[in-house]
Amino acid sequence: MSETTKIGLFTYDIKNGLGLIGYNVDEHEFAHIVVDVTKCDDCSHMMCVWGCPAQCYNFRDQGLEKMKFQYEDCVECGTCYIMCDQGAVSWNHPRGGFGITYSHG
Ligand code: SF4
Ligand code: SF4
């Protein structure tokens, strides 16, 4: 199913866009981003949700009471690490051989 996001004057199909890139997802114990979701409970701005281009963060905007983070669709842009001012995001590059590969562009 297609899922579009309006960015200014443009509408972007995120999931189809992500189909242009490849992933080699590491096992869960080697997740390259770990979020301490207990720190999210009192977060007033949820900048990670608004800033993540791959919609890895889902929270109150989706009607959820607890932050739900999935690293599998991450495009390794680093935005969430910069935007979180609560120290909730632990960010590393994926281990060698894992993570994203760009097919186009
Ligand atoms: S910005 Fe940080 S504290 Fe706020 S919801 Fe996102 S990860 Fe949680
Ligand atoms: S690094 Fe970028 S794509 Fe990955 S979870 Fe953070 S904001 Fe989303």
Side-chain angles (χ1 to χ4, degrees):
M1 181 171 65
S2 168
E3 187 171 355
T4 59
T5 297
K6 192 159 176 50
I7 304 172
L9 297 173
F10 304 98
T11 301
Y12 185 69
D13 187 334
I14 290 176
K15 293 303 178 188
N16 274 345
L18 291 176
L20 298 175
I21 55 183
Y23 298 96
N24 186 12
V25 176
D26 208 343
E27 300 294 330
H28 194 70
E29 57 264 36
F30 296 110
H32 66 291
I33 299 174
V34 177
V35 179
D36 180 355
V37 297
T38 62
K39 293 184 177 176
C40 303
D41 291 344
D42 298 322
C43 183
S44 61
H45 52 69
M46 302 190 304
M47 289 301 288
C48 59
V49 172
W50 316 125
C52 176
Q55 298 180 332
C56 295
Y57 291 83
N58 292 281
F59 198 14
R60 299 183 202 110
D61 61 306
Q62 301 289 332
L64 302 176
E65 291 184 13
K66 296 294 286 185
M67 165 61 76
K68 182 181 176 195
F69 172 72
Q70 57 182 49
Y71 72 96
E72 290 86 347
D73 285 344
C74 174
V75 296
E76 301 169 28
C77 68
T79 302
C80 56
Y81 181 67
I82 293 170
M83 288 190 155
C84 180
D85 59 0
Q86 318 286 314
V89 178
S90 298
W91 204 104
N92 290 288
H93 289 288
R95 295 188 301 162
F98 292 98
I100 191 170
T101 53
Y102 289 89
S103 306
H104 300 275

